[in-house]
Amino acid sequence: MKRVPWTSWHPLALKYAIPSETWAEQLDGGQCFRWSLTSTGDWEGVVGNVVYQLRPAPTGLQWRASQPDQATRLQDYFDAVGAQGDLLANLPWRSDTVLAEALRLYPGLRILRQPADEVLLGFLCSSNKRILQIRQMVAHLAQHLGEPLGDGHHAWPTWSALAQAPASVLKQCALGYRAAYIQGTAQVLVRQPQWAQEWSTLSTPALLERLQSLPGVGPKVASCVALFGFARLESFPVDTWVVQAMSEAYGLKGWKPAQLEKFGQVHFGPAAGLAQQYLFSAMRQGRLGQSSAT
DNA sequence: GTCCAGGATTCAG
DNA sequence: CTGAATCATGGA
């Protein structure tokens, strides 16, 4: 088996650091699905057709990649310039003790700027599944349909490969009823290779509508793709955990997802999606108290 | 064996 | 339009 042609190690300078207690939630907290903690304590993951490794060092965070010239790409992925960190100041944590607690639990947590194709494929797998199983489905898809990158790693499969995949191969990926969603969406997007770039010019409401025209994409998945894949930070995905958080910690019992989405965007403002990620993480890990918010 | 999952779609009323 | 049933699979 061919080996990963690693570059040398490079420093990764972040305006706002991601401390050690946040890394697991940052890279394995349900917004991305292809990072893993290695036996040596480093993080290893695939973005696009590139394998990356991250490791702490005495001089700071370091990374290397399976291809050269990835510095700009990785800096963008982790919002190295700190645009989101600056937005945190505008969230209502001064008056919202629930949010304040969630922010305190995961210092430095941010919305990764992932390729839209990967977010869409990942969340097409997400319906009615736990994060562990989403990871497994995506790993299977990459293994069977993605380009080999060395040492057993595989690139994300292209929509073309997904559209042409035999049913027997999709069956091995344990997608369940989501296989039809994935192949249906692939068959649409393979004819629009520039879809992400073209749709990126749409307003957020128009983008959400376009996304929901794809098979297997409803309100929640569209909201996640807009947030994680198109950097629409005002997007406020409402999943089972957010429903629970809003019900228990904010007293919004019985509210429907669409109502909670509206509430979130009004209450949290232009960076509602960022707030959502903190609340999601805290709730999912059972660390969100029941103190009331105003 | 039972229950349920970062929901979407289809169907009944 | 709203709410319920259905969907395929595997981990807990």
Side-chain angles (χ1 to χ4, degrees), chain A residues 132-245:
Chain A
L132 173 60
Q133 295 187 285
I134 300 170
R135 291 175 57 93
Q136 292 173 343
M137 287 187 272
V138 175
H140 282 134
L141 285 169
Q143 182 182 350
H144 289 290
L145 300 170
E147 171 196 354
L149 301 177
D151 293 335
H153 296 287
H154 294 265
W156 285 76
T158 63
W159 295 117
S160 175
L162 291 164
Q164 298 174 30
S168 59
V169 171
L170 292 179
K171 182 76 174 177
Q172 295 177 23
C173 296
L175 304 168
Y177 61 85
R178 300 158 201 80
Y181 296 162
I182 292 168
Q183 197 147 48
T185 287
Q187 288 168 352
V188 173
L189 294 183
V190 72
R191 303 177 188 285
Q192 305 180 57
Q194 303 299 315
W195 73 276
Q197 184 178 342
E198 292 167 8
W199 296 11
S200 69
T201 64
L202 298 172
S203 69
T204 296
L207 173 63
L208 293 172
E209 188 177 349
R210 289 295 290 274
L211 287 168
Q212 290 185 59
S213 73
L214 297 170
V217 180
K220 190 269 175 182
V221 170
S223 187
C224 285
V225 176
L227 175 61
F228 302 132
F230 287 88
R232 304 301 171 95
L233 293 183
E234 74 274 27
S235 184
F236 189 81
V238 177
D239 76 314
T240 56
W241 295 108
V242 173
V243 169
Q244 194 173 333

Side-chain angles (χ1 to χ4, degrees), chain A residues 7-61:
Chain A
T7 65
S8 58
W9 290 94
H10 304 281
L12 179 60
L14 303 176
K15 178 177 179 181
Y16 299 101
I18 303 176
S20 57
E21 67 264 31
T22 299
W23 275 104
E25 190 61 28
Q26 180 65 72
L27 291 179
D28 190 19
Q31 60 172 308
C32 57
F33 305 104
R34 298 207 64 196
W35 288 91
S36 301
L37 192 59
T38 69
S39 57
T40 57
D42 302 334
W43 285 94
E44 190 171 64
V46 179
V47 181
N49 58 353
V50 179
V51 190
Y52 295 92
Q53 284 184 340
L54 297 167
R55 72 178 185 188
T59 56
L61 191 63

